[in-house]
Amino acid sequence: MSNETTPAIQQPGLESLSKSFEPAPLEAHWGPEWEKRGYGVAGHRGTQAPKVDAPNFAIQLPPPNVTGTLHMGHAFNQTIMDSLTRYHRMMGFNTAWIPGTDHAGIATQIVVERQLQGQGISRHDMGPTPAEARKNFVSKVWEWKEQSGNTITKQMRRMGDSVDWTREYFTMDDKLSNVVSETFVKLYEQGLIYRGKRLVSWDPVLQSAVSDLEVENTEADGKMHYILYPFADGPQLIDGVMQKGMTIATTRPETMMADGALAVHPEDDRYKHLLGKKVDLPLCDRQISIIADDFVDREFGSGCVKITGAHDANDYACSMRHNLPLITIFTLTASVNENGPKAYQGMDRFVARKAVIKDLEAQGLLIEIKPHKLMLPICARTGQVVEPMLTDQWFVAVNKVSPQDPTGKSIAQKAIDAVHSGQVSFVPENWVNTYDQWMNNIQDWCISRQLWWGHQIPAWYDEDGNVYVAKSEAEAQVQADAKGPGKKLRRDEDVLDTWYSSALVPFSTMGWPEATASFDDKTQDYDLYLPSSVLVTGYDIIFFWVARMIMMTTHFTGRVPFKHVYIHGLVRDAQGKKMSKSEGNVLDPVDLIDGISLEPLLEKRSQGLRKPETAPQVRKNTQKEFPEGIPAYGADALRFTFAALASLGRSINFDSKRCEGYRNFCNKLWNATRFVLMNCEGQDCGLKEHTKAECAVGGPAHGYMTFSQADRWISSKIQRVEADVAKGFAEYRLDNVANVIYDFVWNEFCDWYLEIAKVQINTGDASQQRATRRTLIRTLETILRLVHPITPFISEELWQKVAPVAGRAGPSVSIAAYPVSQPERIDEPAEAHVAKLKTLVDACRNLRGEMSVSPATKLPLYVLGDSEFMKTAGHVLQALAKLNEVKVFGNEAEWTKASAAAPVAVVGEARLCLFMEVDVAAEKIRLSKEVARLEGEIGKSHGKLSNEAFVAKAPPAVIDQERKRVADFEAALSKMKTQLLQLEASPSKS
């Protein structure tokens, strides 16, 4: 007898996989490893260079604020972008995902100013002269940026974002700053930039104009003040009654000091005879006229309004139409200036309000004050009430046609045409209506801010106030010297609105303007990646960023910035409320990845609240939602959750419980991989060369491989999945991509095919085992490539072990070829075969349930009909349905006798029953009791539904629920009665 033993199968891949899925070590390894290998660098499949004949895919990261940290909106947005990028990289596109951060003028300045406040100084104290103070402050901001400005990029790496870090930009970098100056000068020379006095939203603490995006309109309890403006030449007849004056209603009585007129609707018969008459302006030593303008709402208040052109946007437009005086009565710190009556000069605007109300009351001109709900414009950066203020600002004339422009179109018109011609399209397409609405009502763009941090306006003034716009002071000096030598220049102190530099990003990051000089190099970024393929962004910045990028890019390059704009919804909490740190309902994506215990989470959420008194409630809500804190879900589960939520809706309600489900998915995939490796690694997986004949259905008994119907079914199904996934990516429906993959992996591959494969490996001959192993390993390897764009870490870790066993060479799944559907491999007969098998297994499970038999108890299945199918599928059916035998009967009489009183199911041509010895007498008693119980329940429900008082008072949902109960009871009763009848026909067990 030989002493030789079978050598142990070598399974290094399986042995290197931990028993369960632990995301942290995978993420810690693969993130830095991908970056080290340069897979994210723009080019073809990680080669860091473009392939000349390959298609191009480019995407720009909406640059987050350098001050910022990763919030849920960023994480959602970046999951979409990274999935698209990874998909196109694997599809063989030249791929570029360009990252960068925005200098965020206001936000960054505030952060550093608050640090200075902690030291008891302001930015103005940082030098002996304003110029020195500014220079030192800007140095301080740069210093802070170098220390803290990379927080968000570290967090992006944690999400697995495969951006091209070698092309990372900061909007204050020299390269981008040069483009800012270049474009400003060009627009000025084209007559499209000008300086003028206009009404802007002014923050009196920041002492700067702010953009509409930085202003939050917040509902507040205010007051409506009804004030009498006496007629200058005595009482007048209004509606048949002599009146002392005109009554107006205002929530801001202090602004009356700046009134330029009173206005009524031109068709308001009550006041037509008063047009042109004057009234005394209360508390001020002047008179104003009554005018007519159709913007007045006749139904509001008295139908008469005050016109304060320098302190209200609607009134400003009216003042322009009627050439009314624009009187500014506030300083830049919102105190009453020299244009207000002496009694109020120097008072803060809210102190002045109280004084004005008191004085109006004393003079009998305050008729009444009523409570009034109003919308207060609050600066999101400082929390201050924004003041409409008339100030000198720089503007881009977006509706003006430059005489030098060969197209004869304004900047705005070019942007409108870019969308209407189809060069830029919106997904979903209904967002084009919002875009059109904004673009067709666009006003000149205020691009100046009164800050120290940002791109300083490239304009200089001489002693006579002449302005010189140039890229440098030296160029400005040349212009000034042309008017007369020796002119001393002073630079404009304002900086540009942050949105100005971010509007240039599509081309400033691609080498413009230098790239335009090279016409023969088609491998430069400018020609490969402009326009980019898609802009992925939330709907809240369509106007602020999207429209401005289209305007600036079409104007300066003649190209559109991107071909598609995919507008996704905004991430809200599980209850659908806006996530806000000040409301205490934010989630930190990194906490979902790494986990966080309850106490630090409570601390985190109760800090920085808008209303500190809500802290106990915030803590209570948090404890209720996360009683044990947040477990570590890992980046893949979080990404899968975001992908599954990426529908075309306007909001995404994020429930962290979804993360748990996708963490379970990752675990399922991990366990499936361990099973497949256990059965395939080190084994013959049918990877050697073979002929088609050797793989025919039911091929030669000793052929190399014999694929079962189930093998063909799973291969067929994955072709359909690949087609659905390609469609999902093409339509920007990442939710469809995620759900199709999830359903296939969990339900088809893991729940069905793996179970069938176990049977085939345990019972099949060598050629069947080989075919099963090949199908197992190849399907799993394909799944890992399919899922990689959404879950990069786990798919890379598992692919490294699976790919060699599957005979797929390559250093990384991230640069492997993405699976593409092969419709010719769709096998409908195999699909029909497995569909029938599933139906039979389900029928057996239902019969087991009806008989109240434990799944652990194995019973025989008696089958009548469809004998051919049962011969081929019986052994698999036996294993999946936990049967100890599948017995096929040739004639009905035998089957009826054998099945006795057992419940029967009909599946296609077959009738089946699970056979179990039953004490007929005892079962009759049990069933009779159950029939009586069900009849009683049905009687109770019918009683309720026939009671008119119940039907009249009960909510519709309760009535529907009661009707459903009746239907369920009646269905159960019918089954019980059928079983009872069968038992009646059977003799009692002796």
Side-chain angles (χ1 to χ4, degrees):
M1 189 171 120
S2 169
N3 289 327
E4 285 181 21
T5 56
T6 306
I9 296 169
Q10 298 301 303
Q11 298 189 311
L14 177 64
E15 285 161 17
S16 66
L17 279 185
S18 61
K19 292 281 191 293
S20 60
F21 168 56
E22 297 298 335
L26 317 188
E27 293 169 18
H29 171 71
W30 283 112
E33 184 64 22
W34 289 324
E35 197 171 331
K36 189 172 86 182
R37 296 187 192 180
Y39 290 158
V41 175
H44 185 263
R45 279 201 211 283
T47 59
Q48 307 184 20
K51 188 176 175 186
V52 176
D53 57 348
N56 304 316
F57 177 83
I59 199 164
Q60 288 272 359
L61 176 79
N65 289 355
V66 70
T67 57
T69 54
L70 193 77
H71 59 59
M72 292 295 278
H74 291 132
F76 176 59
N77 174 267
Q78 291 168 17
T79 295
I80 295 168
M81 284 188 283
D82 192 53
S83 299
L84 288 169
T85 304
R86 286 180 181 274
Y87 169 72
H88 284 93
R89 185 181 293 122
M90 292 175 76
M91 284 295 287
F93 283 62
N94 293 320
T95 309
W97 183 13
I98 311 297
T101 44
D102 192 271
H103 64 279
I106 293 174
T108 308
Q109 179 154 323
I110 287 172
V111 167
V112 179
E113 286 205 67
R114 281 181 185 151
Q115 290 172 358
L116 294 175
Q117 280 168 15
Q119 299 165 29
I121 59 171
S122 82
R123 61 185 157 115
H124 301 281
D125 303 326
M126 293 192 72
T129 65
E132 281 293 308
R134 179 173 186 151
K135 184 181 170 190
N136 293 336
F137 176 76
V138 169
S139 295
K140 183 83 178 165
V141 182
W142 273 108
E143 186 183 303
W144 175 86
K145 185 260 173 187
E146 295 307 319
Q147 288 171 357
S148 312
N150 59 355
T151 302
I152 202 159
T153 56
K154 282 181 185 166
Q155 292 172 314
M156 284 174 64
R157 286 171 163 95
R158 292 298 316 278
M159 288 293 297
D161 291 344
S162 62
V163 301
D164 183 350
W165 293 110
T166 68
R167 283 169 170 76
E168 183 183 1
Y169 65 84
F170 176 53
T171 50
M172 290 279 284
D173 288 344
D174 287 347
K175 187 175 89 169
L176 273 67
S177 296
N178 290 339
V179 176
V180 167
S181 300
E182 175 96 11
T183 55
F184 188 97
V185 171
K186 277 186 187 302
L187 287 170
Y188 184 78
E189 289 169 350
Q190 292 165 0
L192 299 179
I193 276 186
Y194 64 92
R195 192 165 187 260
K197 232 183 223 325
R198 293 284 186 280
L199 202 64
V200 294
S201 295
W202 183 267
D203 184 318
V205 166
L206 199 61
Q207 291 201 33
S208 173
V210 291
S211 78
D212 291 349
L213 195 66
E214 283 142 352
V215 178
E216 292 177 352
N217 287 304
T218 309
E219 188 176 74
D221 292 321
K223 290 173 182 172
M224 186 65 79
H225 309 80
Y226 294 84
I227 302 166
L228 185 74
Y229 284 48
F231 290 115
D233 48 0
Q236 304 289 324
L237 204 61
I238 301 175
D239 262 358
V241 181
M242 291 301 285
Q243 302 278 0
K244 186 180 173 185
M246 297 288 275
T247 301
I248 63 98
T250 181
T251 57
R252 306 178 67 216
E254 69 279 8
T255 62
M256 63 191 294
M257 299 181 257
D259 287 355
L262 294 187
V264 296
H265 196 279
E267 292 168 15
D268 195 331
D269 293 333
R270 294 173 294 176
Y271 304 124
K272 276 184 178 176
H273 62 294
L274 300 173
L275 295 177
K277 286 192 175 293
K278 292 191 179 292
V279 293
D280 293 326
L281 181 59
L283 312 180
C284 300
D285 187 20
R286 61 191 178 87
Q287 295 177 340
I288 56 176
S289 298
I290 300 170
I291 63 167
D293 194 293
D294 58 13
F295 96 99
V296 178
D297 180 357
R298 282 179 278 186
E299 307 305 317
F300 176 75
S302 64
C304 175
V305 296
K306 62 200 263 322
I307 304 298
T308 317
H311 293 286
D312 180 274
N314 290 326
D315 293 3
Y316 176 77
C318 180
S319 298
M320 292 289 98
R321 287 193 291 273
H322 296 273
N323 201 23
L324 299 176
L326 296 170
I327 303 162
T328 301
I329 49 110
F330 292 134
T331 64
L332 297 179
T333 55
S335 297
V336 179
N337 65 14
E338 69 282 359
N339 294 330
K342 273 203 161 46
Y344 311 108
Q345 286 178 13
M347 284 185 185
D348 173 78
R349 55 185 165 163
F350 299 121
V351 176
R353 179 179 297 178
K354 290 178 183 171
V356 164
I357 291 168
K358 186 180 173 191
D359 293 347
L360 285 169
E361 204 166 15
Q363 292 185 22
L365 298 175
L366 185 65
I367 295 167
E368 65 174 328
I369 301 176
K370 289 182 180 176
H372 181 74
K373 287 275 184 200
L374 48 81
M375 299 305 287
L376 272 184
I378 304 288
C379 178
R381 304 293 179 191
T382 62
Q384 290 298 308
V385 177
V386 166
E387 190 67 49
M389 193 79 83
L390 201 60
T391 53
D392 285 314
Q393 302 289 348
W394 288 89
F395 293 86
V396 176
V398 292
N399 290 310
K400 180 182 173 186
V401 178
S402 168
Q404 303 165 32
D405 197 313
T407 67
K409 293 177 182 176
S410 67
I411 293 175
Q413 191 57 52
K414 289 176 192 176
I416 291 168
D417 291 350
V419 171
H420 280 230
S421 67
Q423 288 177 278
V424 177
S425 61
F426 283 82
V427 180
E429 60 187 19
N430 58 297
W431 283 111
V432 77
N433 300 327
T434 305
Y435 176 80
D436 281 347
Q437 191 181 355
W438 280 333
M439 292 305 298
N440 290 323
N441 294 286
I442 194 169
Q443 303 295 311
D444 285 357
W445 173 16
C446 175
I447 53 171
S448 47
R449 297 288 180 265
Q450 289 63 53
L451 305 171
W452 284 1
W453 171 246
H455 294 107
Q456 197 168 347
I457 302 262
W460 287 261
Y461 304 93
D462 63 21
E463 299 97 323
D464 303 322
N466 295 313
V467 64
Y468 306 97
V469 171
K471 282 186 268 187
S472 66
E473 186 170 2
E475 286 184 24
Q477 193 68 56
V478 170
Q479 290 180 28
D481 290 346
K483 287 197 171 186
K487 286 191 182 292
K488 192 170 170 56
L489 299 183
R490 170 185 61 84
R491 188 166 186 177
D492 194 303
E493 292 185 1
D494 288 357
V495 298
L496 283 161
D497 170 20
T498 304
W499 293 103
Y500 183 91
S501 48
S502 56
L504 312 177
V505 156
F507 58 98
S508 65
T509 57
M510 292 294 159
W512 187 91
E514 294 80 8
T516 57
S518 173
F519 298 109
D520 51 352
D521 182 5
K522 293 303 172 193
T523 61
Q524 58 179 351
D525 287 359
Y526 185 76
D527 288 315
L528 287 170
Y529 307 125
L530 180 71
S532 63
S533 309
V534 59
L535 177 77
V536 181
T537 187
Y539 62 79
D540 51 340
I541 55 171
I542 291 179
F543 177 65
F544 291 95
W545 192 43
V546 178
R548 286 168 179 170
M549 282 192 286
I550 298 174
M551 285 195 288
M552 297 299 256
T553 310
T554 51
H555 182 72
F556 283 106
T557 71
R559 304 180 187 185
V560 293
F562 27 72
K563 294 168 190 168
H564 302 135
V565 182
Y566 167 42
I567 304 285
H568 58 68
L570 304 185
V571 182
R572 299 181 181 277
D573 71 9
Q575 287 72 45
K577 292 179 190 160
K578 182 180 177 185
M579 282 196 183
S580 161
K581 188 168 171 56
S582 58
E583 297 300 323
N585 66 340
V586 296
L587 285 168
D588 181 338
V590 177
D591 289 342
L592 289 160
I593 294 171
D594 292 341
I596 183 171
S597 56
L598 180 60
E599 210 40 59
L601 180 64
L602 292 173
E603 195 61 29
K604 207 170 184 179
R605 282 189 145 196
S606 53
Q607 296 296 316
L609 298 172
R610 192 189 303 273
K611 297 177 182 170
E613 65 273 18
T614 62
Q617 188 60 46
V618 166
R619 290 176 75 91
K620 189 177 171 185
N621 294 346
T622 301
Q623 192 147 10
K624 186 180 174 186
E625 193 175 355
F626 306 104
E628 293 170 12
I630 298 172
Y633 295 117
D636 287 324
L638 178 60
R639 287 171 61 116
F640 211 122
T641 308
F642 281 132
L645 290 169
S647 67
L648 299 182
R650 288 193 70 155
S651 62
I652 287 90
N653 294 357
F654 187 90
D655 186 347
S656 62
K657 292 182 186 67
R658 291 284 293 268
C659 285
E660 194 176 331
Y662 294 117
R663 172 75 156 76
N664 293 342
F665 172 84
C666 291
N667 213 45
K668 187 108 171 166
L669 189 57
W670 190 272
N671 292 338
T673 302
R674 286 185 56 81
F675 168 80
V676 173
L677 287 174
M678 203 179 294
N679 285 282
C680 297
E681 192 177 23
Q683 306 270 17
D684 181 355
C685 292
L687 298 176
K688 75 168 193 179
E689 289 295 322
H690 54 275
T691 66
K692 279 192 176 182
E694 288 178 309
C695 292
V697 178
H702 301 289
Y704 182 58
M705 278 188 287
T706 307
F707 289 96
S708 71
Q709 294 283 17
D711 299 332
R712 294 173 183 281
W713 160 74
I714 200 73
S715 300
S716 178
K717 289 294 282 188
I718 206 166
Q719 305 313 316
R720 296 188 190 277
V721 168
E722 288 162 358
D724 287 345
V725 165
K727 185 170 185 277
F729 275 118
E731 294 174 348
Y732 303 109
R733 291 299 304 268
L734 213 60
D735 55 334
N736 291 348
V737 171
N739 294 331
V740 163
I741 293 174
Y742 180 95
D743 181 63
F744 175 75
V745 172
W746 191 290
N747 297 325
E748 309 290 21
F749 184 68
C750 293
D751 282 4
W752 286 101
Y753 184 67
L754 293 191
E755 295 305 314
I756 295 170
K758 280 181 197 174
V759 181
Q760 294 180 169
I761 286 173
N762 290 335
T763 63
D765 62 25
S767 69
Q768 289 165 333
Q769 289 175 335
R770 229 176 261 124
T772 301
R773 289 194 186 103
R774 180 187 172 96
T775 307
L776 269 174
I777 198 75
R778 280 289 175 89
T779 305
L780 176 61
E781 189 275 337
T782 305
I783 285 169
L784 295 173
R785 281 182 289 133
L786 264 179
V787 80
H788 177 74
I790 297 175
T791 56
F793 295 105
I794 187 174
S795 55
E796 181 72 272
E797 180 70 14
L798 296 179
W799 190 85
Q800 293 289 331
K801 324 295 185 202
V802 168
V805 182
R808 304 277 193 204
S812 166
V813 68
S814 63
I815 55 169
Y818 199 73
V820 175
S821 177
Q822 297 168 271
E824 68 277 7
R825 291 186 62 197
I826 290 174
D827 189 330
E828 290 182 353
E831 290 182 0
H833 176 93
V834 174
K836 184 188 280 191
L837 177 65
K838 284 182 177 184
T839 308
L840 287 163
V841 172
D842 288 341
C844 292
R845 288 169 183 169
N846 291 338
L847 289 171
R848 196 182 281 277
E850 283 180 33
M851 296 166 67
S852 304
V853 178
S854 155
T857 305
K858 292 195 172 186
L859 298 174
L861 180 71
Y862 292 174
V863 183
L864 176 67
D866 211 355
S867 54
E868 199 56 44
F869 183 86
M870 293 302 163
K871 275 182 198 168
T872 57
H875 64 297
V876 175
L877 177 60
Q878 186 174 327
L880 267 54
K882 295 189 167 58
L883 308 169
N884 56 16
E885 179 189 10
V886 175
K887 189 170 181 183
V888 181
F889 286 78
N891 69 68
E892 189 169 352
E894 283 179 26
W895 177 80
T896 304
K897 186 180 175 187
S899 63
V904 174
V906 178
V907 177
E909 310 155 34
R911 279 191 281 171
L912 26 145
C913 71
L914 285 178
F915 181 74
M916 185 170 75
E917 289 288 346
V918 175
D919 182 332
V920 175
E923 186 65 4
K924 278 183 192 174
I925 294 166
R926 187 187 73 79
L927 285 173
S928 298
K929 282 181 182 174
E930 189 62 14
V931 165
R933 186 188 73 79
L934 289 169
E935 284 173 342
E937 292 290 351
I938 291 167
K940 277 187 214 166
S941 290
H942 277 311
K944 275 187 185 178
L945 292 168
S946 60
N947 181 338
E948 289 178 13
F950 170 77
V951 173
K953 288 179 186 172
V958 172
I959 294 167
D960 289 346
Q961 188 180 3
E962 201 60 40
R963 284 180 181 143
K964 186 178 182 302
R965 274 163 57 85
V966 171
D968 291 346
F969 287 147
E970 285 176 341
L973 181 63
S974 174
K975 282 188 178 178
M976 294 291 172
K977 284 183 172 177
T978 303
Q979 280 183 254
L980 202 50
L981 281 171
Q982 287 172 327
L983 287 173
E984 298 290 353
S986 303
S988 293
K989 187 179 175 186
S990 55

